[in-house]
Amino acid sequence: MNKSKKASVWFIFITLLIDVTGFGIIIPVMPGIIQELTGTNISGAARYGAWLVAVYAGMQFLFAPLIGAISDRYGRRPVLLCSLFGFFIDYLLLAFAPTITWLFIGRFLAGIFGASFTTAGAYIADISEPEKRAQNFGMMGAAFGMGFVLGPVIGGLLGDLGNRVPFFVAAGLTFCNWLYGYFILPESLKEENKRAFVWQRANPIGTIKSLFRFKVVAGLFGALALLYLASHAVQSNWSFYTIEKFKWTETQIGISLGVVGIVFGLVQGVLIRKTIPLMGEERSIYTGLALYAIGFMLYAFANQGWMMYGITIVYCLGGIAGPALQGVMSKLIPANEQGELQGGFTSVMSLTAIVGPLLMNGIFSYYTSDNAPLYFPGAAMIVGGILTLGSAFLAWVTLKKS
């Protein structure tokens, strides 16, 4: 049984790795595709790109609770397979898109089916012992990190063969993953743990309201939301910040993001399996959030490009906090509501993916403009650090009361 569980954990890891790699593959060529379909310049393409991201995140926000509730009723396996097949169709739509409208249709569908991450999280919760959940959630984080290292590199190389080639490769990878899951993946949700589908709980507001009946979960959701929001000071701002402050080229930015992905993947896939059992989940939360906050502050005041690499180690070590938070919350939720919990996670992440880039890029834009009272490119990093400290305080107050 233990061997079966380990095999299932690795399947979920590979599933997410292929999904994220497929998503990353299209990043380098997306500007070219948008320009090709709209006839606009790079500035106009950036605006279209922002709306494509908003559509994707918005659909995830709306549909992740629905997908989670369906997986609580009918099981993880059929939902996961449907999500993978949906991604396959999305990549084909992007590959053959004759107009920009078809790109939006593809991102619309991808946002819905992107809830495979929700179901994958619920699957991990099903097959993990309570004390092992945080470490196994860390494997999911490692898959994200590795995928965002491999994807853009592969996409950049394939893009030399044509703007459409990476979409076909992403579709092929996703379809192979679907085939593997169809013939190999077992169901993880026991029959006695399935629950009735309730429409009132199958939406973002209903899901969060239902989960908030657990007071500790409500406070920790708030802490997680602040952390997700803070992360966009790096995720959405990195390229702009390093170009403005250090005059980095696209190659330097790509290498630096690769380093971030590698370090983050090692922390979440390897280190976290040692630190959380050693430190405990609560101490891991505080330590991780403190390291995140220190990393943000150091990024803000770095005055040499090489410093960003050293600071990245400190920042990525903070990655022990997220899985520890998820692990604590997962223990507080009944077995038949794990899908709903993971849907709540995805909705919060998607909502911050809409608000975060607008907030952090807006702060960066203002403090690097001629109208700013003070020229300070690192302003968004400071805000990220403050939000992270707020997350730590909220987590401490919540766990202290519990």
Side-chain angles (χ1 to χ4, degrees):
M1 183 63 181
N2 286 334
K3 288 183 179 180
S4 176
K5 287 183 177 180
K6 286 182 178 179
S8 296
V9 169
W10 278 105
F11 172 80
I12 296 298
F13 173 82
I14 293 169
T15 294
L16 293 178
L17 177 61
I18 291 176
D19 280 356
V20 177
T21 300
F23 186 81
I25 280 175
I26 69 176
I27 290 174
V29 297
M30 187 62 86
I33 287 287
I34 294 173
Q35 286 180 287
E36 175 189 324
L37 296 177
T38 62
T40 188
N41 58 19
I42 194 66
S43 178
R47 288 193 291 272
Y48 277 107
W51 280 109
L52 286 168
V53 171
V55 167
Y56 178 85
M59 290 304 101
Q60 280 215 323
F61 172 71
L62 292 174
F63 282 89
L66 174 63
I67 298 297
I70 291 173
S71 77
D72 279 341
R73 173 65 184 89
Y74 297 104
R76 319 300 185 201
R77 185 177 184 273
V79 175
L80 194 57
L81 291 175
C82 286
S83 294
L84 288 172
F85 197 78
F87 260 130
F88 167 65
I89 298 299
D90 165 54
Y91 289 132
L92 288 181
L93 281 175
L94 297 178
F96 290 107
T99 66
I100 191 67
T101 301
W102 283 97
L103 285 189
F104 277 98
I105 293 172
R107 292 291 82 188
F108 179 90
L109 293 175
I112 296 172
F113 292 115
S116 60
F117 302 125
T118 297
T119 313
Y123 196 107
I124 290 293
D126 292 339
I127 64 175
S128 302
E129 300 298 328
E131 65 274 10
K132 295 287 186 181
R133 281 180 183 165
Q135 294 100 300
N136 287 337
F137 285 138
M139 291 287 286
M140 295 175 63
F144 276 93
M146 291 179 64
F148 276 112
V149 172
L150 295 173
V153 173
I154 296 171
L157 294 173
L158 293 174
D160 291 337
L161 303 176
N163 282 341
R164 309 276 178 156
V165 173
F167 296 100
F168 288 110
V169 174
L173 286 173
T174 305
F175 186 69
C176 290
N177 199 22
W178 179 84
L179 286 175
Y180 180 67
Y182 183 82
F183 289 107
I184 302 296
L185 186 69
E187 177 56 62
S188 65
L189 185 63
K190 297 178 181 178
E191 197 65 33
E192 63 269 23
N193 288 335
K194 293 181 179 179
R195 67 175 177 87
F197 180 85
V198 180
W199 276 107
Q200 288 85 344
R201 293 168 61 175
N203 61 82
I205 306 302
T207 291
I208 293 173
K209 184 178 179 182
S210 173
L211 293 172
F212 275 20
R213 71 186 189 275
F214 304 96
K215 292 184 178 180
V216 177
V217 171
L220 295 182
F221 250 112
L224 203 59
L226 289 175
L227 177 59
Y228 286 155
L229 192 61
S231 70
H232 283 279
V234 170
Q235 291 178 19
S236 301
N237 224 23
W238 185 269
S239 299
F240 301 103
Y241 178 65
T242 53
I243 289 172
E244 175 69 22
K245 194 164 188 178
F246 306 117
K247 311 304 178 188
W248 279 6
T249 64
E250 289 84 353
T251 301
Q252 288 173 302
I253 293 169
I255 292 172
S256 67
L257 288 174
V259 171
V260 172
I262 291 170
V263 177
F264 193 72
L266 288 173
V267 168
Q268 298 236 322
V270 180
L271 184 63
I272 206 171
R273 307 184 78 80
K274 304 294 183 182
T275 56
I276 288 182
L278 182 66
M279 299 169 60
E281 288 173 337
E282 186 173 347
R283 191 178 297 175
S284 295
I285 291 170
Y286 302 142
T287 303
L289 291 174
L291 288 168
Y292 267 141
I294 293 170
F296 279 123
M297 299 301 178
L298 291 175
Y299 277 144
F301 293 102
N303 55 25
Q304 297 290 331
W306 62 264
M307 294 180 178
M308 301 296 281
Y309 289 95
I311 297 167
T312 290
I313 297 174
V314 177
Y315 177 80
C316 289
L317 284 172
I320 64 176
L325 273 167
Q326 286 183 274
V328 170
M329 285 189 274
S330 182
K331 289 179 182 177
L332 300 170
I333 298 296
N336 63 354
E337 297 181 30
Q338 291 294 325
E340 186 175 34
L341 174 65
Q342 298 302 321
F345 286 149
T346 305
S347 285
V348 170
M349 186 182 296
S350 300
L351 184 60
T352 58
I354 298 171
V355 177
L358 297 174
L359 173 65
M360 297 304 180
N361 287 16
I363 292 171
F364 171 83
S365 178
Y366 177 72
Y367 279 96
T368 54
S369 70
D370 295 334
N371 298 323
L374 172 69
Y375 175 79
F376 186 35
M381 300 293 186
I382 296 294
V383 172
I386 292 171
L387 288 172
T388 304
L389 292 175
S391 174
F393 178 75
L394 185 55
W396 175 74
V397 170
T398 303
L399 292 172
K400 184 179 179 182
K401 286 182 179 178
S402 69

